Amino acid sequence: EDFGKINLLLGKNNCGKTSILEALFLIIGFTNPQLPRSINFFRDLFLTQTDDFRFIFYQLDFNSQVRIEAEIKPDQLRTLVIKPQFSLSSPENGSQTVISDEADVSSTLVMPSENIEKLILNSSIKKKGQGKPKNFRSEISIEETTEGIKQKIKAPNNYKESMRGFFINADTVYKDLSPRIENIIVKKQKDVLLEPLRNIEPKIRDISFGNNGMIYVDVGYSRLMPVNLLGDGIRRMLSILAKVLDTKDGIILLDEIENGLHYSSLKVFLKYLIRMSELQNVQLFLTTHSKETLNNLSEILSTEEFKKFRSDIRSFTIRKHEKDKTISYPYDFEKLEYAIEQDIEMR
């Protein structure tokens, strides 16, 4: 509850921070049947058989259906339910009969096995105070062929998603970097992107394209230099800020914000991340367990230039309690600043 424009998720390893980002990712694109497969890919889990669908279910149990509800400003309610569709095998001829949603499975004569045919995504959207919700159904299935895995998806053709969201982690951070840089150059926003890079490496004069989508920077040498040669930190910062700059009115989900950044670059990165999110009206959800990140953020927001952003900041410490119950402890800027000053452990 009470998300802000910039949200930090804190907590120990395996407390659920990334799972929250995944839930947000699913609800942003709640009619897209490919997203359950995507969140497995984010964790290096590859869908090679229908049984792998169980990776997104609590305790790997197909009976624990996923239900996500979200309130979207100003007055929209979204619900997403993900469940498997089982199939039955006939002992006589080996044929399969699909159990529909309406089928009576209470009989002792017919019980569903854990043979999964597909995943079903039931989505609904409703405006507050207005009638019944609109319902949509999507599905995804896979089958093994001689050529490999074949994916089948069925998305509703009567709904067009207006929200944009991107999940950024170590595996996706550089994805689509070249077309994003191209969009930024075409929109004449190149200088906005170059400014933070110059703060880290003053030699950088310009950024441009070469063959095969290669990104080059001008650092004053006789030849342009591929941005890859400037080090992973600058390239990572470039990629994340380019995504923010190219996601107007969207949502960025960034897992482990401090990864690959030297402490001296982290403060610069946070400043421009805040500035660009305001410029493009982007909501941020960031996970971290770095005290340097919190200290830098507190110092930035204590300055005259950035104090207007204090009301935009929310921090949530995620704790896993007994029986896997997860609880979040919220902090606004004042509570966050006090906790940092008193050296209270929030991570």
Side-chain angles (χ1 to χ4, degrees), residues 150-161:
K150 184 178 180 182
Q151 175 181 294
K152 294 182 179 179
I153 63 170
K154 184 179 179 182
N157 55 16
N158 58 341
Y159 179 78
K160 184 177 181 180
E161 184 57 71

Side-chain angles (χ1 to χ4, degrees), residues 90-106:
S90 166
E92 292 157 5
N93 54 21
S95 64
Q96 293 187 332
T97 304
V98 174
I99 299 178
S100 70
D101 291 340
E102 294 76 27
D104 180 8
V105 294
S106 61

Side-chain angles (χ1 to χ4, degrees), residues 125-143:
I125 188 168
K126 180 182 179 181
K127 285 196 172 183
K128 283 185 180 178
Q130 294 186 17
K132 295 182 178 181
K134 294 182 179 179
N135 298 310
F136 309 94
R137 176 178 165 124
S138 311
E139 58 188 54
I140 177 173
S141 62
I142 61 169
E143 63 179 71

